[in-house]
Amino acid sequence: MTVQVQDVQDFMKVVEGRRSVRSYEPADISKEVLKEILETATLAPSSSNMQPWRFLVAHDKESKSKLESAVLDFNKQRVAEASVGIVVLGDLKGYEKAEDIYSQAVKAGYMTEEFKAQFVQNSLNLYGSLPQDKLKEIALVDGGLVSMQLMLAARAKGYDTLPMGGYDPVKLKELFGISDQYVPVMVIALGKAAQEGRPTTRLPIDKVTFWNSMA
Ligand SMILES: Cc1cc2nc3c(=O)[nH]c(=O)nc-3n(C[C@H](O)[C@H](O)[C@H](O)COP(=O)(O)O)c2cc1C
């Protein structure tokens, strides 16, 4: 598919328009719209396409107030005001869904049954033998990618977001009954901005880029 100038401009508008928003208007968001945002987010790449991300969506009042108590003080009001809070988790046993994932590929006509069997076996062998810290690293990388895409997908649909690392992971896991199979990646508040996010700057590319060697 060829990318048109208009597509690029639309994309840049979404990317440049996203800001961390810390004040939200009272507004509901439907499960349908949330599912669309999550679906777009999950078009993100992941290690061997194992998609180890999981989303815990605090959508109703009760779970939102639970989430509010799991985030640090400076984030509480942001979670309280947002339409929804999304806990992005990494599943350390995500590779166990290899069978589901490759069966979908067969059904879509992208892969033969024979290849599927091989791919499933390879995935189970490879990921099943990795140490926990490596699995965690993979889950965090893939979780970061999906989180970014989630925020852009939300922005494209007219919603704003705030990624948050300011939460108590132990409390979060306790309150929501999250087992050690899952590692929290970040919490994302999502809603309609009451106040635009403050502008931020970025280091010049020359300060963060090394061409060909780090020397
Ligand atoms: C992993 C991560 C954790 C963050 N945690 C918080 C947080 O706990 N509270 C907060 O207000 N902002 C948080 N931020 C938002 C950053 O402060 C913000 O992304 C940065 O200042 C750049 O601003 P921008 O997102 O508007 O471009 C976090 C961002 C990231 C990526």
Side-chain angles (χ1 to χ4, degrees), residues 18-20 22 74-75 78 162-166 186 198 200 202:
R18 185 212 57 82
R19 292 256 161 82
S20 285
R22 296 180 175 87
F74 60 94
N75 281 328
R78 296 151 187 177
L162 175 66
M164 281 172 283
M186 71 181 79
R198 53 177 184 258
T200 53
R202 295 297 184 267

Side-chain angles (χ1 to χ4, degrees), residues 70-112:
V71 298
L72 302 185
D73 283 350
F74 60 94
N75 281 328
K76 285 192 192 300
Q77 166 254 340
R78 296 151 187 177
V79 170
E81 282 183 10
S83 307
V84 69
I86 302 168
V87 183
V88 181
L89 300 161
D91 186 348
L92 300 178
K93 289 190 174 168
Y95 61 89
E96 289 184 355
K97 296 220 186 297
E99 174 74 32
D100 290 357
I101 291 164
Y102 289 120
S103 294
Q104 276 184 310
V106 171
K107 209 168 159 202
Y110 301 155
M111 188 181 270
T112 63

Side-chain angles (χ1 to χ4, degrees), residues 117-201:
Q118 195 58 53
F119 272 67
V120 170
Q121 201 49 56
N122 288 349
S123 303
L124 294 177
N125 290 345
L126 171 69
Y127 289 89
S129 65
L130 291 178
Q132 285 295 102
D133 62 343
K134 185 64 193 164
L135 288 168
K136 185 174 170 184
E137 194 183 302
I138 293 170
L140 291 175
V141 170
D142 292 347
L145 291 171
V146 84
S147 297
M148 183 69 253
Q149 195 134 298
L150 193 164
M151 292 187 276
L152 293 180
R155 179 70 193 171
K157 285 202 172 285
Y159 291 90
D160 294 287
T161 53
L162 175 66
M164 281 172 283
Y167 59 88
D168 178 341
V170 176
K171 202 164 176 187
L172 180 82
K173 287 176 76 181
E174 227 172 67
L175 283 170
F176 286 97
I178 301 168
S179 79
D180 288 340
Q181 182 179 335
Y182 303 97
V183 46
V185 177
M186 71 181 79
V187 175
I188 301 177
L190 186 155
K192 295 269 184 190
Q195 217 183 318
E196 273 192 24
R198 53 177 184 258
T200 53
T201 56

